[in-house]
Amino acid sequence: MTLYIDAGTTYSKIIADGEKLDFLPVKNENGFLYYIIPSSEVRFLDLKFKKSCGHMFSDENSENEIIALAQGCKKDIEPDSVVLDLGSRDAKWIRFKNGKFRDMDWNTSCASSTGATVEMLLKFYDLKTEDLKFNPEKYNVTCGIFGFEKIMDDISKGVNASDAVSKFVHGIAFNAWNFAKRPEKIYLSGGFCNNECFVKSLENYCDVVKLGRFKLCEGLIDG
Amino acid sequence: MNTQKNVKIGFWGCPERTLVNELKSKYPNADWLDLDLDLNAPDKHILPESYCKIIKNIINNSLGMKDKLDIIVAPIGKDKCDSGWFAAQLLKDMGFEVIECINPNIDKKRPLVISTSNLPLYDKFNIIMNNIIDEKALNAAQCKPKFGFWGVPPNDMEILKLFPDETHVYGWTRCVERGTPADVAEEMYVEPDVPTVFYAQSFCAKCQLAKYLADKYNGLYIDIDDYATNSVRAKIEAFLRLS
């Protein structure tokens, strides 16, 4: 069995070529089985990976995440494209022109406006992702910690927690669009593809094509 | 002051050659010390926590060897930065003998030898900076650039080892090789078709220039406070592999 892993901060995305793991796959495509497993559990599975990327797993076969993203998405995008991967703890984007790499950036220092923060907010206010709805208003979340303050202020004034967190998510979408240099269209990769509030918020600024959560992992196979 | 035999002169930036030569003539056996470098001096907490690491180095290095440092040669003009000017005022106030200077030269440009050579990037920076005080005739084989590195010598010089030898030097360090550290036109010069990493020390005013030029020329902007994290290294590596 050949295994590939994108070991994110919260979840690991695993693709198995052939045999099944003791988990329910989320997808079965072209002979490959796709799994999403909490990263905290992966270390106990005693699995050997042919290639890996991500913050939570590192060995001699580890690949750079930007390289994995570039390799994984190239078959799904137009020659002139911007791909944004927004995960638990960081955001990264690549711009292609005529099918070739042109520009990139990777926010590597501050994770206060990414997926892990949203997950914490959902837990803190006992909300589900589905409770969040696009809100045309947004908080300025250039600093996520200041964004927290806005949420708490609004809730203390009677705003629903789901509305307040939705405004926070809108702020993250606005930041992500600016971070990617305000493109007209974004190919979105990562866990935020499953957050409709985020996707709708991003669509407020540009067209969005969802690539799902496995592009980095697929890039390990293609690379 | 110590006897002439063991005079210790600290400096930062790129003082004008005439002044350096005057001091070398007056104190031929002096030890010269580049205060810009991280010499592991303890942080005296004089400056704000979030501040340019190079300026922190200057202050902490000076205080760390207060009794041994006889003279500080302090560029305070556009050839260094406003923070350098303030650092000079602080050090004077703390009792150091500070010679303030401005290197206005933008006309007498020396030819480029090292910035455009095929030497390892790490060596290029060391040779250029060592030549500020101990001027030597330089010679090195030239190469066409595959990549560019724009900026000042980083506090974390190890990041320079990520680049291939065919990386040309641009920005302030290139100006230093020219002998024209205040020449902003030279500082803003890059070759548009050469993929370039635009580096500035976090909290330095040059971040403004680095970000602007990176956007203009589709380069990679990075600012690093203190030492590079693994993520910053990965970002540079990705840029070099994908470009």
Side-chain angles (χ1 to χ4, degrees):
Chain A
M1 178 166 54
T2 307
L3 295 171
Y4 304 88
I5 183 169
D6 166 20
T9 301
T10 317
Y11 292 103
S12 287
K13 283 69 69 176
I14 296 174
I15 299 179
D17 178 3
E19 294 174 46
K20 288 182 180 176
L21 300 178
D22 292 334
F23 291 89
L24 195 62
V26 296
K27 194 164 75 165
N28 184 341
E29 196 172 279
N30 300 326
F32 290 100
L33 295 164
Y34 290 66
Y35 298 90
I36 296 177
I37 300 169
S39 290
S40 55
E41 294 181 24
V42 171
R43 70 187 71 169
F44 303 113
L45 297 179
D46 193 28
L47 297 172
K48 297 278 181 249
F49 297 98
K50 184 176 181 185
K51 285 187 93 173
S52 67
C53 67
H55 287 95
M56 300 296 281
F57 194 92
S58 179
D59 64 12
E60 68 278 10
N61 298 316
S62 292
E63 179 56 284
N64 184 302
E65 289 180 58
I66 290 271
I67 304 287
L69 177 63
Q71 288 167 343
C73 69
K74 61 189 175 190
K75 62 181 181 297
D76 301 305
I77 61 174
E78 295 166 272
D80 293 353
S81 302
V82 171
V83 181
L84 169 72
D85 181 81
L86 193 58
S88 258
R89 63 169 273 180
D90 62 9
K92 42 194 167 289
W93 62 266
I94 310 169
R95 182 155 63 91
F96 296 90
K97 193 170 173 70
N98 298 323
K100 291 183 177 173
F101 166 78
R102 185 63 186 263
D103 198 3
M104 61 152 280
D105 206 352
W106 190 355
N107 89 326
T108 50
S109 301
C110 179
S112 63
S113 299
T114 50
T117 311
V118 174
E119 294 216 358
M120 282 194 291
L121 284 167
L122 293 176
K123 278 183 189 167
F124 187 74
Y125 288 111
D126 195 22
L127 297 168
K128 296 187 177 66
T129 308
E130 305 77 64
D131 296 329
L132 306 180
K133 307 290 178 204
F134 167 65
N135 192 316
E137 291 181 38
K138 66 176 183 302
Y139 297 137
N140 180 346
V141 294
T142 303
C143 173
I145 305 301
F146 290 157
F148 279 13
E149 190 180 17
K150 301 276 187 193
I151 291 173
M152 291 170 181
D153 276 357
D154 266 7
I155 290 174
S156 71
K157 291 173 189 162
V159 173
N160 286 334
S162 58
D163 289 343
V165 177
S166 296
K167 286 193 221 175
F168 185 89
V169 169
H170 185 166
I172 292 177
F174 178 68
N175 270 10
W177 177 65
N178 274 302
F179 175 58
K181 298 190 178 174
R182 301 181 167 216
E184 292 179 359
K185 183 177 182 178
I186 280 178
Y187 287 87
L188 179 65
S189 158
F192 273 98
C193 287
N194 295 345
N195 186 320
E196 277 306 305
C197 177
F198 176 84
V199 173
K200 288 265 188 300
S201 300
L202 191 57
E203 284 173 342
N204 205 39
Y205 303 100
C206 64
D207 293 335
V208 179
V209 178
K210 293 188 280 186
L211 296 176
R213 303 176 72 175
F214 284 94
K215 287 299 141 192
L216 279 81
C217 207
E218 289 174 358
L220 300 175
I221 301 170
D222 298 340
Chain B
M1 184 175 294
N2 294 331
T3 61
Q4 183 171 318
K5 195 174 179 183
N6 59 359
V7 164
K8 197 177 273 288
I9 303 175
F11 73 99
W12 65 71
C14 179
E16 199 176 18
R17 172 58 43 196
T18 314
L19 173 61
V20 172
N21 286 345
E22 275 175 22
L23 289 166
K24 290 189 101 170
S25 173
K26 192 171 177 182
Y27 308 108
N29 297 314
D31 292 329
W32 289 75
L33 193 68
D34 188 344
L35 299 171
D36 284 320
L37 303 176
D38 185 350
L39 303 175
N40 295 317
D43 190 351
K44 300 291 187 182
H45 302 286
I46 303 294
L47 300 182
E49 284 301 308
S50 300
Y51 205 72
C52 172
K53 180 68 166 71
I54 303 295
I55 301 297
K56 282 181 145 183
N57 286 344
I58 288 171
I59 298 291
N60 290 327
N61 287 335
S62 300
L63 290 171
M65 56 185 79
K66 183 159 189 177
D67 298 333
K68 298 174 190 163
L69 205 55
D70 299 294
I71 299 170
I72 295 175
V73 178
I76 56 167
K78 294 299 177 196
D79 51 312
K80 180 65 177 176
C81 60
D82 285 349
S83 291
W85 182 79
F86 281 117
Q89 310 319 307
L90 265 58
L91 291 169
K92 275 195 295 185
D93 193 63
M94 289 188 278
F96 287 92
E97 182 176 339
V98 176
I99 301 175
E100 292 176 303
C101 57
I102 293 175
N103 187 340
N105 179 31
I106 58 170
D107 297 323
K108 296 175 193 164
K109 292 187 181 187
R110 295 190 295 235
L112 292 173
V113 177
I114 302 302
S115 294
T116 49
S117 72
N118 67 351
L119 293 168
L121 187 60
Y122 183 92
D123 294 349
K124 286 183 180 110
F125 272 76
N126 274 329
I127 293 168
I128 291 170
M129 301 319 290
N130 289 338
N131 219 39
I132 291 173
I133 301 301
D134 296 317
E135 191 175 27
K136 295 185 180 81
L138 300 172
N139 191 20
Q142 302 294 290
C143 71
K144 287 188 175 176
K146 278 187 183 169
F147 296 100
F149 184 97
W150 181 100
V152 298
N155 183 67
D156 184 358
M157 291 278 283
E158 291 295 307
I159 64 166
L160 301 174
K161 294 178 179 173
L162 298 171
F163 291 79
D165 295 352
E166 300 89 350
T167 303
H168 279 193
V169 175
Y170 301 94
W172 187 80
T173 310
R174 189 181 180 103
C175 295
V176 171
E177 185 177 9
R178 288 275 199 205
T180 59
D183 184 356
V184 75
E186 177 82 35
E187 189 168 5
M188 291 178 72
Y189 170 78
V190 293
E191 289 167 79
D193 297 331
V194 176
T196 297
V197 172
F198 292 84
Y199 165 82
Q201 200 69 40
S202 299
F203 312 111
C204 171
K206 286 189 194 293
C207 289
Q208 187 179 166
L209 200 51
K211 171 73 166 55
Y212 173 78
L213 293 173
D215 287 345
K216 183 174 179 180
Y217 295 110
N218 290 306
L220 177 68
Y221 166 73
I222 54 166
D223 65 289
I224 300 174
D225 178 28
D226 208 352
Y227 286 87
T229 61
N230 286 338
S231 297
V232 169
R233 289 170 163 273
K235 185 169 160 176
I236 296 170
E237 181 198 32
F239 181 79
L240 297 177
R241 284 176 62 187
L242 290 171
S243 291

